[in-house]
Amino acid sequence: MKKIKKIKITILPSLLISLMLLFAACSSLTEPVNETGMPGMPNAAEAEAETETSAQSFTMAINENLTKTTDIRPGYGTMYEVFVYSFYDSDGDGIGDFNGLTSQLDYISDLGFDGIWLMPIKPSPTYHKYDVTDYYGIDPEYGTMADFENFIEACDERGIRVIIDLVLNHSSSQHPWFLKATEYLAGLDGKEPDILECPEFGFYHFTQERKSNHYQVAGTEDWYYEGHFWSEMPDLNLDNLDLRVEIENIAAFWLQKGVAGFRLDAVKEFFTGALEKNIEVLTWFNQMVKDKNPDAYLVAEVWDNAITYAPYLRSGIDSIFNFAFANHNGTIAETVRGRIAASNFPAAIISHNELLSSYNPDFIDAPFYTNHDLGRSAGYYNGEFALAQTKMALALNLLMSGNTFTYYGDELGMNGSGIDENKRLAMYWSEDENAPGMCRGPLDKDNVKFRYESYETQKDDPYSIYNFSKNALKIRNAFPAVIQGNIKNLDEIGTDSLLAFTKTDGESHIVILANLSPDEIEIKTALIGDINIAAVLLTNESPVLLDFDNLCLPAYSIVILEQEN
């Protein structure tokens, strides 16, 4: 066999013979196998079996050699969003809790996540807990403060940072602040309110003029309060200085408990339609938190397009969630479906980053694909290639620079859409709903049938969504360039179906090629240069193949190449 030009293979020596046999599987690169089989092989059937086995061995060997990088800047990484209520139940009441979550930290760590975002954990009258009654407590359904402290300690032991949801746009209507304020208003008997008599009166937006999204104060005839999302979620008045003192104390309390930062809910609605006022609040909050812990990480939810959320980075906050690439109609899903050319995906990232950096050059992107408010990603695709497309979309999110977020259960291909409860179903540990740890999920959910198998089944299938996700996370964690590198589009290689770009961070330089079609794609290696195959992601048994001057990517596959210096 003559020397391979332009491309080198870094694999275990014992697999070189297997790789040579794999060349035959790519019909465009080699002569077809005749009916008597390849030389040295009894027949075509055995050759095909050997090819499939070799493909699996090749993939496992390439990724097996990857080790986790430690050269990561603060704030960058890979986070896992958890809804404690639906994750893992330790006491048999059907509701997830901190003891259950703590028992599954090895599951999260072994997957490759180095951070956890906890949806609201504070006392609340609702299952979702976005209406808080006590900003200093743990909801009894989830356990005790001691349970939470044990959880934080266990995360620290595994190198997992934890950020928690902090809901500042509104409180619960049952929060003592609101109860004191409305009781005070009901007892005025026509007198003008005095904030010195009731400081909590200034914590909310009370008015004697009924407006949109306003509700009448019980016990009064002419007092109303703003509740942008719901009557039981009265909006807080973040202009009030006494309230800001309370918020500063709340932030200090949780930072002292060991949380690594906060996810700020509904930032755009702090003052609906008032961009500059919202940015002022964020600027104050960011500076206040960073004064207490310079390494604290803050990410804000501004659910809108990039043109709308980018200006919020003027506040100095680390990150704004990247809604442009998320959801069923975002850049990731539309690219995987083929509605956006694969060659345009890197250009979309570059354009997005340029927009955000124009407001804050030190921003950290916060890519995510789905979350608790969006339909589950496994429901985005239908037809023969739905499974492969589900996998590829998850990988595209993880190949983006910044601090990426993955919603619990997406690594299993959980589905659920429609009402919010359907998007927050019980983690699918087992097909047996009575198995240890299984939660009942939200009570008002629909009867949702999962499209793909549970973790119990998927963990032993090398081509399951779970193991694909695990490999994708391993690749992300192995290369600084994947996590925090600058991207460059390879225009001369990318096509409607082939995604091609480089990522560079210092001395870490990689080429990423992704076939987003159901057909194999052949690439001339001369277009890439001197490279080593560093990692592969396959959605089925078909292997990545190398011939003298060609690289053959099977359907729905990804190859990571390291360029030589």
Side-chain angles (χ1 to χ4, degrees), residues 231-308:
S231 61
E232 306 312 302
M233 291 177 171
D235 282 17
L236 290 166
N237 176 17
L238 296 174
D239 269 341
N240 184 276
L241 297 182
D242 289 335
L243 177 60
R244 291 197 182 193
V245 171
E246 294 282 354
I247 292 172
E248 181 172 356
N249 292 337
I250 291 164
F253 175 84
W254 290 104
L255 290 171
Q256 290 167 4
K257 289 292 181 184
V259 304
F262 303 99
R263 179 263 186 184
L264 299 177
D265 180 64
V267 167
K268 188 165 67 75
E269 310 310 331
F270 283 172
F271 295 93
T272 301
L275 173 65
E276 295 304 322
K277 287 176 69 69
N278 292 336
I279 291 175
E280 186 279 323
V281 174
L282 270 189
T283 302
W284 162 76
F285 185 85
N286 177 70
Q287 188 59 56
M288 177 267 291
V289 169
K290 295 299 174 68
D291 285 345
K292 300 179 188 306
N293 180 1
D295 294 328
Y297 174 77
L298 300 178
V299 57
E301 178 205 33
V302 181
W303 191 348
D304 213 313
N305 57 47
I307 296 296
T308 300

Side-chain angles (χ1 to χ4, degrees), residues 175-474:
H175 194 287
W177 296 337
F178 190 71
L179 295 177
K180 289 180 182 178
T182 54
E183 182 180 359
Y184 172 72
L185 287 175
L188 281 178
D189 291 330
K191 294 190 302 182
E192 287 296 313
D194 184 347
I195 201 169
L196 295 178
E197 293 179 348
C198 180
E200 291 80 8
F201 168 76
F203 287 14
Y204 297 90
H205 297 286
F206 291 109
T207 178
Q208 290 182 289
E209 179 184 358
R210 184 161 194 170
K211 305 175 185 178
S212 176
N213 297 320
H214 280 64
Y215 303 89
Q216 189 169 3
V217 175
T220 73
E221 295 181 356
D222 56 357
W223 280 102
Y224 303 90
Y225 64 92
E226 183 181 10
H228 182 84
F229 291 105
W230 182 37
S231 61
E232 306 312 302
M233 291 177 171
D235 282 17
L236 290 166
N237 176 17
L238 296 174
D239 269 341
N240 184 276
L241 297 182
D242 289 335
L243 177 60
R244 291 197 182 193
V245 171
E246 294 282 354
I247 292 172
E248 181 172 356
N249 292 337
I250 291 164
F253 175 84
W254 290 104
L255 290 171
Q256 290 167 4
K257 289 292 181 184
V259 304
F262 303 99
R263 179 263 186 184
L264 299 177
D265 180 64
V267 167
K268 188 165 67 75
E269 310 310 331
F270 283 172
F271 295 93
T272 301
L275 173 65
E276 295 304 322
K277 287 176 69 69
N278 292 336
I279 291 175
E280 186 279 323
V281 174
L282 270 189
T283 302
W284 162 76
F285 185 85
N286 177 70
Q287 188 59 56
M288 177 267 291
V289 169
K290 295 299 174 68
D291 285 345
K292 300 179 188 306
N293 180 1
D295 294 328
Y297 174 77
L298 300 178
V299 57
E301 178 205 33
V302 181
W303 191 348
D304 213 313
N305 57 47
I307 296 296
T308 300
Y309 61 70
Y312 283 82
L313 288 169
R314 284 199 278 116
S315 65
I317 195 172
D318 298 297
S319 300
I320 303 289
F321 277 115
N322 185 341
F323 275 91
F325 282 71
N327 210 349
H328 66 92
N329 57 355
T331 302
I332 291 176
E334 293 290 77
T335 302
V336 170
R337 288 194 192 97
R339 296 175 183 171
I340 295 177
S343 58
N344 287 339
F345 186 81
I349 295 177
I350 293 169
S351 177
H352 181 266
N353 290 349
E354 288 177 347
L355 172 63
L356 270 59
S357 64
S358 69
Y359 291 99
N360 180 358
D362 297 321
F363 86 99
I364 301 171
D365 197 15
F368 73 105
Y369 182 36
T370 71
N371 67 16
H372 59 280
D373 288 322
L374 308 178
R376 288 279 193 173
S377 60
Y380 296 175
Y381 311 101
N382 294 294
E384 180 182 357
F385 307 110
L387 174 58
Q389 291 174 322
T390 298
K391 294 176 180 178
M392 294 296 284
L394 294 172
L396 290 189
N397 181 57
L398 292 171
L399 290 173
M400 294 179 68
S401 295
N403 194 34
T404 62
F405 290 79
T406 298
Y407 190 34
Y408 80 95
D410 274 6
E411 75 277 11
L412 302 176
M414 286 175 58
N415 50 282
S417 60
I419 59 174
D420 285 344
E421 288 82 353
N422 293 351
K423 304 166 187 173
R424 305 164 188 178
L425 297 173
M427 178 68 173
Y428 199 26
W429 297 108
S430 172
E431 282 86 356
D432 179 4
E433 62 182 22
N434 296 314
M438 288 293 290
C439 302
R440 72 187 183 203
L443 293 178
D444 292 333
K445 67 184 183 300
D446 294 327
N447 184 19
V448 178
K449 181 175 175 57
F450 288 127
R451 175 177 292 185
Y452 302 113
E453 297 84 359
S454 71
Y455 165 70
E456 189 175 60
T457 300
Q458 288 196 35
K459 62 182 175 63
D460 297 321
D461 176 4
Y463 289 96
S464 66
I465 300 175
Y466 167 79
N467 279 305
F468 181 90
S469 298
K470 193 171 185 178
N471 266 310
L473 284 157
K474 190 171 188 179

Side-chain angles (χ1 to χ4, degrees), residues 5-83:
K5 293 183 288 184
K6 295 294 184 184
I7 190 162
K8 298 180 181 180
I9 312 168
T10 306
I11 60 175
L12 299 178
S14 63
L15 293 175
L16 286 174
I17 295 176
S18 295
L19 183 60
M20 293 170 64
L21 293 173
L22 292 179
F23 294 161
C26 188
S27 59
S28 63
L29 303 183
T30 61
E31 293 295 323
V33 179
N34 61 34
E35 292 182 359
T36 61
M38 292 177 59
M41 298 189 70
N43 54 57
E46 291 185 13
E48 182 178 358
E50 176 66 18
T51 296
E52 292 184 0
T53 301
S54 300
Q56 295 179 38
S57 300
F58 176 64
T59 302
M60 293 174 65
I62 286 287
N63 296 340
E64 197 173 75
N65 293 331
L66 299 177
T67 57
K68 187 172 182 177
T69 180
T70 57
D71 189 20
I72 303 301
R73 295 191 291 273
Y76 288 78
T78 313
M79 303 203 78
Y80 190 65
E81 180 188 357
V82 174
F83 182 36

